[in-house]
Amino acid sequence: MGTLLDVRDLFLYYATRKGPVKAADDISFQIGEGEAVALVGESGCGKTSVGISLLRTLPRNVHTYKGEVILDGEDIMKLDDEEFRRRIRWKKISMVFQGAMNALNPVLTVGFQVAEPLVIHEGMDKKKALKIATEYLMDVGLREMFVERYPHELSGGMKQRCVIAMSLIMNPKLVILDEPTSALDLMTQANIMNLLKRLKRDRKLSYLFITHDLPLASELADKVIVMYAGKMVEKGTAEQIYLDPKHPYTQKLIASVPILRGEKELEYIPGEVPSLIDPPQGCRFHPRCPYAKDICRKEEPPSIEIEKEHSVACWLYAE
Amino acid sequence: MSAPAPVGLKTIFKEMMGTISGKLGVAIIIFLIILSMAVPVYTSPGTIKKWNNPKAWVDYPKCAAPGWTDLFTKKTYCRNMVFNPQDFYKYSESIGGIYRVIYLIGVIEYNYDSFPNIMDGFKISLITNSSENLLVNITLMRPDDLSATLWSDSIYVTGQTLPIVTELSAMDHDIKKGTCTFIRRVTGENIDWKGVIPHIALFAKVDPNMNDPCKAEVLKGKYKLLIWAITYDPDADLDAKFIVYGSVYGLAGTDARGRDITIGILWGAPIALAFGLMASVILGFLHAIFGVMAGWFGGKIDEVIQRATEMLMIIPTMPILILISFLFRVNVWTLIAILVALNPLGGSTLTIRSMVLQIKEEQHILAALAYGSSNYRIMFKHIFPRILPYMVVGIVMSVPGYIFLEASLSILGLGEPTLPTWGKILSDAFNHRALYLGWWWWILIPAILIIITAFAFGLLGYSLDKIVNPRLREI
């Protein structure tokens, strides 16, 4: 399995009146071909910022945006906006947006929206594009009649399928899934997850699966990256993270997952996510960490490789 | 409870037709469109070029009320009667090859309860190609077997180009004098010829008051106009044209220049619709485009558009329009251009900008951006349809404003110089003190049309607003 995407030292800061918001701070990871990487963390820890910085759909108030993003051996950070739009967006990287309810324009038909990337990138005529869009919609499990429907005529799950079809239409190599099932009920969520799994298998897709839902991530992910306050705290294969979490934050996160009909009292992490404008010195997790030591308060922990592919940023494991 | 705003213009139209105000508005607009299309049916298209040419309207009565005025009174009003040369019986003989006598007799069935048009009465035109002077006598023979010699004089042909046309109108001194003699003869009253109104006295029953328009009674029956002429030219010919001007005419009457107001009204309908719609559609789209640009691009473009909008909104349109129209004669199409130049940005620009600010934060816009849509595509394919319903309401609602604007400029005497617009007709009425003189049709008909047009668009806008504005929607 070759490496498809190699992200090195990615920074994304937003400018605000109070100072820069360090939404993604020194992020590095790889995604192999046909591999699904889950990006897990609490709300507001910078997961989506990583996603949009890969696709370069940045808001206006960007403060710092740097790093290397090597896709298929090419540093796409060096491309100018126009070239990026023409060559990368949707052709190589596509995205399924948070909340399908909102990711479709309410006044355009579903078919038109799914077909639109083809019209834009290939200059295809509308009829032909619509025909291909129909195929894709049928591939994600929708009937042909929905092509001419408006989004409000579809259920949440159907809309999500449309958005997935839209993300696949240009045959990208990498699909960023930003909380693709967060607004759906459990059954629909399961259906969508199965669909994503099937598509991954059939089309050899790579996923960057952004979610706050650890159990859900375990369904799909080959590798898991845990983020906290804009920093990567731990990354490893799914087995390593779920079975043997090293970072105190990961451990707490897994402990807070409810189990069906269990007697377990759910754990939670005292305190709250720190402000990303003025993060705590040293390890960003130290105010909430039960094992915090002196050094945690002073210096940022380095990324320590514990075993192959499993690294953790914590002073506890520093020898 | 509010229902979601409908999608697509077809649905909106269907829903609109479900409301009473929508139906009424559409019905009135269809009526106006039929009016617009009726011009070529009612009159030849060339007529309109003659609108400002007084010669084209000599056969028409001046200030005649609409023909249907009859329906509201017990009287039948005098219709316009035109006797062309071929309507006269003609008899001519050459006597001894030295001179020639020509007789012309026109028969007038006068069965109306009112006198001919009080302004003009009648007109006699004599057309001759005689190369010698003519001695002409015109006599009106009345149903009561009395006859009045209206004119007995010579037509001098020396030094004039043929054919020679001599026009005698009812109020000419000669005709007045002739009528005066007639009145003196039949009533024995000694009246001054200057006070004679020939078209009253000649068509009135014999009575001491036969010259008084208020007291005289109409003598109905068969009148004959007898014209005879003697000339020394054996080949001479004489033709006559006789017009009795009606006191009512057509569907909408005539104005002080004898112009048929019906033609003006019919011709004004497409102008009013086209002007109102064009001005509001062009300006509506322009405002919307700038609003979308301001909202979408933000930053400096936004700032410039906003400040420019505020500045343009402060500049008063009407005084500037008056100034421009005062310096240059502007027709309605130039007026649209000036409006566009003065108001490329307006209040709706700011409203639409704020709508776009909200829409552009929605995720589907981010999605569109992510799959590579250009700015242009996002603005016109994704954002524009969202503001379209609002824009359409704005456009429909602003149509009456522009129709009124054109009318107000016309009333100030600064409107369209050549074509008859409704405002222009009103303006002419105003200048001729029509209201003061009781020529109601000249004012009421164009005014009512302006009002119902405004009303129609107002109703449409009202029903559209109810449909597309979620806050006003009810289940």
Side-chain angles (χ1 to χ4, degrees), chain B residues 217-272:
Chain B
E217 278 182 64
V218 180
L219 178 68
K220 295 185 191 178
K222 203 176 269 183
Y223 288 78
K224 289 185 195 119
L225 187 72
L226 172 69
I227 302 168
W228 58 260
I230 302 174
T231 175
Y232 282 106
D233 179 1
D235 301 321
D237 196 8
L238 177 72
D239 276 319
K241 188 172 175 182
F242 182 48
I243 300 164
V244 178
Y245 291 110
S247 50
V248 293
Y249 188 86
L251 287 170
T254 60
D255 68 8
R257 291 203 221 164
R259 295 183 289 202
D260 186 355
I261 294 174
T262 317
I263 293 176
I265 292 292
L266 290 179
W267 193 259
I271 295 178

Short mmCIF file of all heavy atoms in Angstrom, two decimals, chain B residues 217-272:
data_model
loop_
_atom_site.label_atom_id
_atom_site.label_comp_id
_atom_site.label_asym_id
_atom_site.label_seq_id
_atom_site.Cartn_x
_atom_site.Cartn_y
_atom_site.Cartn_z
N GLU B 217 -84.35 74.04 -29.08
CA GLU B 217 -84.69 72.63 -29.22
C GLU B 217 -84.26 72.12 -30.58
O GLU B 217 -84.35 72.84 -31.58
CB GLU B 217 -86.19 72.42 -29.06
CG GLU B 217 -86.63 72.37 -27.61
CD GLU B 217 -88.12 72.11 -27.52
OE1 GLU B 217 -88.56 71.01 -27.95
OE2 GLU B 217 -88.82 73.01 -27.06
N VAL B 218 -83.85 70.87 -30.62
CA VAL B 218 -83.33 70.32 -31.86
C VAL B 218 -84.47 70.03 -32.82
O VAL B 218 -85.51 69.52 -32.43
CB VAL B 218 -82.55 69.03 -31.59
CG1 VAL B 218 -81.99 68.46 -32.88
CG2 VAL B 218 -81.43 69.28 -30.60
N LEU B 219 -84.26 70.40 -34.07
CA LEU B 219 -85.22 70.06 -35.11
C LEU B 219 -84.71 68.82 -35.82
O LEU B 219 -83.69 68.86 -36.50
CB LEU B 219 -85.35 71.23 -36.09
CG LEU B 219 -86.29 71.01 -37.26
CD1 LEU B 219 -87.75 70.92 -36.80
CD2 LEU B 219 -86.14 72.13 -38.28
N LYS B 220 -85.42 67.70 -35.63
CA LYS B 220 -84.95 66.46 -36.24
C LYS B 220 -85.51 66.34 -37.64
O LYS B 220 -86.55 66.92 -37.95
CB LYS B 220 -85.42 65.25 -35.42
CG LYS B 220 -84.82 65.17 -34.04
CD LYS B 220 -85.27 63.88 -33.39
CE LYS B 220 -84.93 63.88 -31.91
NZ LYS B 220 -85.39 62.65 -31.27
N GLY B 221 -84.87 65.56 -38.43
CA GLY B 221 -85.40 65.30 -39.76
C GLY B 221 -84.33 65.35 -40.81
O GLY B 221 -83.14 65.23 -40.52
N LYS B 222 -84.79 65.51 -42.06
CA LYS B 222 -83.88 65.43 -43.19
C LYS B 222 -83.46 66.83 -43.60
O LYS B 222 -84.28 67.65 -44.00
CB LYS B 222 -84.60 64.72 -44.35
CG LYS B 222 -83.67 64.09 -45.34
CD LYS B 222 -84.45 63.34 -46.39
CE LYS B 222 -84.69 61.89 -46.03
NZ LYS B 222 -85.39 61.15 -47.08
N TYR B 223 -82.18 67.11 -43.48
CA TYR B 223 -81.64 68.40 -43.92
C TYR B 223 -81.02 68.19 -45.29
O TYR B 223 -80.51 67.10 -45.58
CB TYR B 223 -80.59 68.90 -42.95
CG TYR B 223 -81.12 69.39 -41.62
CD1 TYR B 223 -81.49 68.50 -40.64
CD2 TYR B 223 -81.25 70.76 -41.38
CE1 TYR B 223 -81.98 68.94 -39.42
CE2 TYR B 223 -81.73 71.22 -40.17
CZ TYR B 223 -82.10 70.30 -39.19
OH TYR B 223 -82.57 70.75 -37.99
N LYS B 224 -81.05 69.23 -46.07
CA LYS B 224 -80.35 69.14 -47.36
C LYS B 224 -79.40 70.31 -47.47
O LYS B 224 -79.77 71.45 -47.19
CB LYS B 224 -81.35 69.18 -48.51
CG LYS B 224 -82.17 67.92 -48.62
CD LYS B 224 -83.05 67.99 -49.86
CE LYS B 224 -84.14 66.93 -49.77
NZ LYS B 224 -85.47 67.55 -49.78
N LEU B 225 -78.20 70.00 -47.87
CA LEU B 225 -77.24 71.06 -48.12
C LEU B 225 -77.15 71.24 -49.64
O LEU B 225 -76.77 70.32 -50.35
CB LEU B 225 -75.87 70.69 -47.55
CG LEU B 225 -74.84 71.81 -47.62
CD1 LEU B 225 -75.17 72.90 -46.61
CD2 LEU B 225 -73.45 71.26 -47.36
N LEU B 226 -77.55 72.39 -50.08
CA LEU B 226 -77.57 72.64 -51.53
C LEU B 226 -76.47 73.64 -51.86
O LEU B 226 -76.40 74.72 -51.30
CB LEU B 226 -78.94 73.19 -51.94
CG LEU B 226 -79.05 73.67 -53.37
CD1 LEU B 226 -78.97 72.50 -54.34
CD2 LEU B 226 -80.34 74.44 -53.57
N ILE B 227 -75.62 73.22 -52.76
CA ILE B 227 -74.54 74.11 -53.19
C ILE B 227 -74.67 74.27 -54.70
O ILE B 227 -74.76 73.28 -55.43
CB ILE B 227 -73.16 73.49 -52.85
CG1 ILE B 227 -73.05 73.24 -51.34
CG2 ILE B 227 -72.02 74.40 -53.32
CD1 ILE B 227 -71.87 72.39 -50.96
N TRP B 228 -74.72 75.50 -55.16
CA TRP B 228 -74.65 75.67 -56.61
C TRP B 228 -73.61 76.71 -56.97
O TRP B 228 -73.30 77.61 -56.20
CB TRP B 228 -76.01 75.95 -57.24
CG TRP B 228 -76.74 77.18 -56.73
CD1 TRP B 228 -77.74 77.19 -55.83
CD2 TRP B 228 -76.54 78.52 -57.15
NE1 TRP B 228 -78.19 78.44 -55.60
CE2 TRP B 228 -77.48 79.30 -56.42
CE3 TRP B 228 -75.67 79.16 -58.07
CZ2 TRP B 228 -77.55 80.68 -56.57
CZ3 TRP B 228 -75.78 80.54 -58.21
CH2 TRP B 228 -76.70 81.30 -57.46
N ALA B 229 -73.02 76.53 -58.14
CA ALA B 229 -71.94 77.42 -58.54
C ALA B 229 -72.07 77.73 -60.03
O ALA B 229 -72.53 76.89 -60.82
CB ALA B 229 -70.60 76.78 -58.25
N ILE B 230 -71.69 78.93 -60.41
CA ILE B 230 -71.68 79.32 -61.82
C ILE B 230 -70.29 79.83 -62.15
O ILE B 230 -69.68 80.56 -61.35
CB ILE B 230 -72.70 80.44 -62.11
CG1 ILE B 230 -74.11 80.00 -61.72
CG2 ILE B 230 -72.65 80.85 -63.57
CD1 ILE B 230 -75.14 81.09 -61.84
N THR B 231 -69.79 79.36 -63.27
CA THR B 231 -68.47 79.85 -63.68
C THR B 231 -68.41 79.95 -65.20
O THR B 231 -69.19 79.30 -65.91
CB THR B 231 -67.36 78.91 -63.16
OG1 THR B 231 -66.13 79.36 -63.69
CG2 THR B 231 -67.60 77.48 -63.57
N TYR B 232 -67.49 80.75 -65.67
CA TYR B 232 -67.34 80.90 -67.13
C TYR B 232 -66.44 79.84 -67.73
O TYR B 232 -66.24 79.79 -68.92
CB TYR B 232 -66.83 82.30 -67.48
CG TYR B 232 -67.94 83.32 -67.41
CD1 TYR B 232 -68.03 84.21 -66.37
CD2 TYR B 232 -68.93 83.34 -68.41
CE1 TYR B 232 -69.06 85.12 -66.28
CE2 TYR B 232 -69.97 84.24 -68.33
CZ TYR B 232 -70.04 85.14 -67.28
OH TYR B 232 -71.06 85.99 -67.19
N ASP B 233 -65.88 79.02 -66.91
CA ASP B 233 -65.05 77.91 -67.42
C ASP B 233 -65.97 76.74 -67.72
O ASP B 233 -66.54 76.15 -66.81
CB ASP B 233 -64.00 77.53 -66.38
CG ASP B 233 -63.12 76.38 -66.85
OD1 ASP B 233 -63.33 75.90 -67.98
OD2 ASP B 233 -62.24 75.97 -66.08
N PRO B 234 -66.15 76.37 -69.01
CA PRO B 234 -67.10 75.31 -69.34
C PRO B 234 -66.68 73.94 -68.82
O PRO B 234 -67.49 73.03 -68.70
CB PRO B 234 -67.14 75.32 -70.87
CG PRO B 234 -65.89 76.02 -71.30
CD PRO B 234 -65.49 76.95 -70.20
N ASP B 235 -65.41 73.78 -68.50
CA ASP B 235 -64.94 72.46 -68.02
C ASP B 235 -64.82 72.41 -66.49
O ASP B 235 -64.28 71.46 -65.95
CB ASP B 235 -63.57 72.14 -68.63
CG ASP B 235 -63.65 72.13 -70.14
OD1 ASP B 235 -64.68 71.63 -70.64
OD2 ASP B 235 -62.71 72.64 -70.78
N ALA B 236 -65.29 73.45 -65.86
CA ALA B 236 -65.04 73.54 -64.41
C ALA B 236 -65.75 72.41 -63.65
O ALA B 236 -66.78 71.90 -64.08
CB ALA B 236 -65.53 74.88 -63.88
N ASP B 237 -65.14 72.05 -62.56
CA ASP B 237 -65.75 71.03 -61.70
C ASP B 237 -65.71 71.54 -60.26
O ASP B 237 -64.81 72.30 -59.88
CB ASP B 237 -64.99 69.71 -61.82
CG ASP B 237 -65.80 68.57 -61.26
OD1 ASP B 237 -66.99 68.80 -60.92
OD2 ASP B 237 -65.25 67.46 -61.14
N LEU B 238 -66.65 71.09 -59.47
CA LEU B 238 -66.68 71.52 -58.07
C LEU B 238 -67.06 70.30 -57.21
O LEU B 238 -67.96 69.55 -57.54
CB LEU B 238 -67.72 72.62 -57.87
CG LEU B 238 -67.91 73.11 -56.43
CD1 LEU B 238 -66.72 73.94 -55.98
CD2 LEU B 238 -69.19 73.90 -56.29
N ASP B 239 -66.32 70.14 -56.15
CA ASP B 239 -66.65 69.08 -55.19
C ASP B 239 -66.78 69.70 -53.82
O ASP B 239 -66.18 70.75 -53.55
CB ASP B 239 -65.56 68.01 -55.17
CG ASP B 239 -65.78 67.00 -56.28
OD1 ASP B 239 -66.95 66.62 -56.50
OD2 ASP B 239 -64.79 66.62 -56.93
N ALA B 240 -67.50 69.02 -52.95
CA ALA B 240 -67.65 69.57 -51.61
C ALA B 240 -67.47 68.47 -50.58
O ALA B 240 -67.72 67.29 -50.85
CB ALA B 240 -69.04 70.19 -51.45
N LYS B 241 -67.02 68.89 -49.45
CA LYS B 241 -66.92 67.95 -48.34
C LYS B 241 -67.61 68.62 -47.17
O LYS B 241 -67.40 69.82 -46.92
CB LYS B 241 -65.45 67.68 -48.01
CG LYS B 241 -65.26 66.60 -47.00
CD LYS B 241 -63.79 66.24 -46.87
CE LYS B 241 -63.62 65.22 -45.76
NZ LYS B 241 -62.23 64.88 -45.55
N PHE B 242 -68.46 67.91 -46.50
CA PHE B 242 -69.23 68.49 -45.42
C PHE B 242 -69.06 67.63 -44.18
O PHE B 242 -69.26 66.42 -44.20
CB PHE B 242 -70.70 68.55 -45.85
CG PHE B 242 -71.61 69.19 -44.83
CD1 PHE B 242 -71.27 70.42 -44.24
CD2 PHE B 242 -72.81 68.60 -44.49
CE1 PHE B 242 -72.11 71.02 -43.32
CE2 PHE B 242 -73.66 69.21 -43.55
CZ PHE B 242 -73.31 70.42 -42.97
N ILE B 243 -68.67 68.27 -43.13
CA ILE B 243 -68.50 67.52 -41.87
C ILE B 243 -69.39 68.16 -40.82
O ILE B 243 -69.31 69.37 -40.58
CB ILE B 243 -67.04 67.57 -41.38
CG1 ILE B 243 -66.11 66.96 -42.43
CG2 ILE B 243 -66.90 66.82 -40.06
CD1 ILE B 243 -64.66 67.31 -42.21
N VAL B 244 -70.25 67.33 -40.21
CA VAL B 244 -70.97 67.79 -39.03
C VAL B 244 -70.25 67.16 -37.85
O VAL B 244 -70.23 65.94 -37.70
CB VAL B 244 -72.44 67.36 -39.06
CG1 VAL B 244 -73.15 67.82 -37.80
CG2 VAL B 244 -73.12 67.91 -40.28
N TYR B 245 -69.62 67.98 -37.04
CA TYR B 245 -68.83 67.43 -35.94
C TYR B 245 -69.76 66.93 -34.84
O TYR B 245 -70.66 67.64 -34.41
CB TYR B 245 -67.89 68.49 -35.39
CG TYR B 245 -66.78 68.85 -36.35
CD1 TYR B 245 -66.74 70.08 -36.97
CD2 TYR B 245 -65.79 67.92 -36.64
CE1 TYR B 245 -65.73 70.40 -37.85
CE2 TYR B 245 -64.76 68.22 -37.52
CZ TYR B 245 -64.74 69.47 -38.13
OH TYR B 245 -63.74 69.76 -39.00
N GLY B 246 -69.52 65.72 -34.42
CA GLY B 246 -70.37 65.13 -33.40
C GLY B 246 -70.05 65.67 -32.02
O GLY B 246 -68.95 66.15 -31.76
N SER B 247 -71.03 65.55 -31.12
CA SER B 247 -70.71 65.94 -29.74
C SER B 247 -70.22 64.72 -28.95
O SER B 247 -69.82 64.84 -27.81
CB SER B 247 -71.91 66.58 -29.06
OG SER B 247 -73.04 65.78 -29.23
N VAL B 248 -70.29 63.53 -29.57
CA VAL B 248 -69.64 62.36 -28.97
C VAL B 248 -68.82 61.68 -30.06
O VAL B 248 -69.12 61.81 -31.25
CB VAL B 248 -70.65 61.33 -28.39
CG1 VAL B 248 -71.38 61.92 -27.21
CG2 VAL B 248 -71.62 60.86 -29.45
N TYR B 249 -67.76 60.98 -29.62
CA TYR B 249 -66.95 60.29 -30.61
C TYR B 249 -66.24 59.10 -29.98
O TYR B 249 -65.61 59.21 -28.92
CB TYR B 249 -65.90 61.24 -31.21
CG TYR B 249 -65.18 60.61 -32.37
CD1 TYR B 249 -65.71 60.69 -33.65
CD2 TYR B 249 -64.01 59.88 -32.17
CE1 TYR B 249 -65.09 60.08 -34.72
CE2 TYR B 249 -63.39 59.25 -33.24
CZ TYR B 249 -63.94 59.36 -34.51
OH TYR B 249 -63.34 58.75 -35.57
N GLY B 250 -66.32 57.98 -30.64
CA GLY B 250 -65.51 56.80 -30.30
C GLY B 250 -65.73 56.29 -28.88
O GLY B 250 -66.75 56.55 -28.25
N LEU B 251 -64.77 55.55 -28.43
CA LEU B 251 -64.88 54.91 -27.12
C LEU B 251 -64.39 55.80 -25.99
O LEU B 251 -64.76 55.62 -24.84
CB LEU B 251 -64.07 53.61 -27.11
CG LEU B 251 -64.65 52.47 -27.91
CD1 LEU B 251 -63.65 51.34 -28.02
CD2 LEU B 251 -65.92 51.98 -27.24
N ALA B 252 -63.51 56.73 -26.34
CA ALA B 252 -62.92 57.53 -25.28
C ALA B 252 -62.98 59.01 -25.60
O ALA B 252 -62.34 59.82 -24.93
CB ALA B 252 -61.48 57.10 -25.03
N GLY B 253 -63.73 59.38 -26.62
CA GLY B 253 -63.86 60.80 -26.92
C GLY B 253 -62.64 61.36 -27.62
O GLY B 253 -61.75 60.62 -28.05
N THR B 254 -62.63 62.67 -27.75
CA THR B 254 -61.49 63.31 -28.40
C THR B 254 -61.01 64.45 -27.53
O THR B 254 -61.69 64.86 -26.59
CB THR B 254 -61.87 63.89 -29.77
OG1 THR B 254 -62.89 64.85 -29.57
CG2 THR B 254 -62.34 62.82 -30.72
N ASP B 255 -59.82 64.93 -27.84
CA ASP B 255 -59.29 66.02 -27.04
C ASP B 255 -59.45 67.35 -27.77
O ASP B 255 -60.13 67.43 -28.80
CB ASP B 255 -57.83 65.74 -26.66
CG ASP B 255 -56.90 65.77 -27.85
OD1 ASP B 255 -57.34 66.17 -28.95
OD2 ASP B 255 -55.73 65.40 -27.68
N ALA B 256 -58.86 68.39 -27.24
CA ALA B 256 -59.10 69.73 -27.76
C ALA B 256 -58.52 69.94 -29.16
O ALA B 256 -58.83 70.91 -29.83
CB ALA B 256 -58.53 70.76 -26.81
N ARG B 257 -57.67 69.00 -29.58
CA ARG B 257 -57.17 69.11 -30.94
C ARG B 257 -57.89 68.15 -31.87
O ARG B 257 -57.49 67.95 -33.00
CB ARG B 257 -55.68 68.77 -30.99
CG ARG B 257 -54.82 69.80 -30.31
CD ARG B 257 -53.42 69.70 -30.88
NE ARG B 257 -52.43 69.82 -29.85
CZ ARG B 257 -51.17 69.46 -30.01
NH1 ARG B 257 -50.78 68.91 -31.15
NH2 ARG B 257 -50.30 69.62 -29.06
N GLY B 258 -58.93 67.53 -31.36
CA GLY B 258 -59.69 66.59 -32.16
C GLY B 258 -59.07 65.21 -32.23
O GLY B 258 -59.53 64.35 -32.96
N ARG B 259 -58.01 64.96 -31.45
CA ARG B 259 -57.36 63.65 -31.52
C ARG B 259 -58.23 62.62 -30.81
O ARG B 259 -58.80 62.88 -29.75
CB ARG B 259 -55.99 63.70 -30.85
CG ARG B 259 -55.06 64.61 -31.60
CD ARG B 259 -53.71 64.61 -30.99
NE ARG B 259 -53.69 65.29 -29.71
CZ ARG B 259 -52.57 65.79 -29.17
NH1 ARG B 259 -51.43 65.67 -29.80
NH2 ARG B 259 -52.61 66.39 -28.02
N ASP B 260 -58.30 61.44 -31.42
CA ASP B 260 -59.10 60.37 -30.85
C ASP B 260 -58.36 59.80 -29.63
O ASP B 260 -57.30 59.18 -29.77
CB ASP B 260 -59.27 59.28 -31.93
CG ASP B 260 -60.20 58.19 -31.46
OD1 ASP B 260 -60.63 58.24 -30.30
OD2 ASP B 260 -60.50 57.30 -32.27
N ILE B 261 -58.93 60.01 -28.46
CA ILE B 261 -58.23 59.58 -27.24
C ILE B 261 -58.10 58.06 -27.19
O ILE B 261 -57.15 57.53 -26.64
CB ILE B 261 -58.94 60.14 -25.99
CG1 ILE B 261 -58.79 61.67 -25.98
CG2 ILE B 261 -58.35 59.58 -24.70
CD1 ILE B 261 -59.55 62.36 -24.88
N THR B 262 -59.06 57.35 -27.82
CA THR B 262 -58.97 55.88 -27.85
C THR B 262 -57.63 55.43 -28.40
O THR B 262 -56.99 54.54 -27.85
CB THR B 262 -60.09 55.30 -28.73
OG1 THR B 262 -61.28 55.99 -28.43
CG2 THR B 262 -60.25 53.82 -28.49
N ILE B 263 -57.20 56.08 -29.50
CA ILE B 263 -55.92 55.69 -30.10
C ILE B 263 -54.79 55.96 -29.12
O ILE B 263 -53.91 55.12 -28.91
CB ILE B 263 -55.70 56.46 -31.42
CG1 ILE B 263 -56.74 56.02 -32.45
CG2 ILE B 263 -54.28 56.23 -31.95
CD1 ILE B 263 -56.66 56.79 -33.75
N GLY B 264 -54.87 57.13 -28.49
CA GLY B 264 -53.83 57.47 -27.51
C GLY B 264 -53.78 56.47 -26.37
O GLY B 264 -52.71 56.02 -25.96
N ILE B 265 -54.97 56.09 -25.90
CA ILE B 265 -55.03 55.15 -24.77
C ILE B 265 -54.49 53.79 -25.19
O ILE B 265 -53.68 53.18 -24.49
CB ILE B 265 -56.50 54.99 -24.31
CG1 ILE B 265 -57.00 56.28 -23.69
CG2 ILE B 265 -56.65 53.81 -23.37
CD1 ILE B 265 -56.35 56.63 -22.40
N LEU B 266 -54.93 53.32 -26.37
CA LEU B 266 -54.48 52.01 -26.84
C LEU B 266 -52.98 52.02 -27.03
O LEU B 266 -52.28 51.09 -26.66
CB LEU B 266 -55.16 51.65 -28.16
CG LEU B 266 -56.64 51.34 -28.08
CD1 LEU B 266 -57.17 51.02 -29.46
CD2 LEU B 266 -56.88 50.16 -27.15
N TRP B 267 -52.49 53.11 -27.61
CA TRP B 267 -51.06 53.16 -27.87
C TRP B 267 -50.29 53.34 -26.57
O TRP B 267 -49.15 52.89 -26.44
CB TRP B 267 -50.77 54.32 -28.84
CG TRP B 267 -49.40 54.23 -29.38
CD1 TRP B 267 -48.32 54.96 -28.98
CD2 TRP B 267 -48.93 53.34 -30.38
NE1 TRP B 267 -47.22 54.58 -29.66
CE2 TRP B 267 -47.56 53.59 -30.54
CE3 TRP B 267 -49.54 52.36 -31.16
CZ2 TRP B 267 -46.78 52.90 -31.45
CZ3 TRP B 267 -48.76 51.67 -32.06
CH2 TRP B 267 -47.41 51.94 -32.20
N GLY B 268 -50.92 53.99 -25.62
CA GLY B 268 -50.25 54.22 -24.34
C GLY B 268 -50.09 52.94 -23.53
O GLY B 268 -49.18 52.84 -22.72
N ALA B 269 -51.00 51.96 -23.75
CA ALA B 269 -50.95 50.74 -22.92
C ALA B 269 -49.63 49.99 -23.06
O ALA B 269 -48.96 49.74 -22.06
CB ALA B 269 -52.13 49.83 -23.25
N PRO B 270 -49.20 49.65 -24.31
CA PRO B 270 -47.91 48.96 -24.39
C PRO B 270 -46.75 49.82 -23.90
O PRO B 270 -45.80 49.29 -23.33
CB PRO B 270 -47.76 48.64 -25.88
CG PRO B 270 -48.70 49.52 -26.58
CD PRO B 270 -49.83 49.78 -25.63
N ILE B 271 -46.87 51.13 -24.10
CA ILE B 271 -45.76 51.99 -23.64
C ILE B 271 -45.68 51.95 -22.12
O ILE B 271 -44.60 51.78 -21.55
CB ILE B 271 -45.95 53.43 -24.14
CG1 ILE B 271 -45.85 53.47 -25.66
CG2 ILE B 271 -44.89 54.35 -23.53
CD1 ILE B 271 -46.08 54.84 -26.23
N ALA B 272 -46.85 52.07 -21.48
CA ALA B 272 -46.85 52.06 -20.02
C ALA B 272 -46.32 50.73 -19.50
O ALA B 272 -45.46 50.68 -18.62
CB ALA B 272 -48.25 52.30 -19.49
#
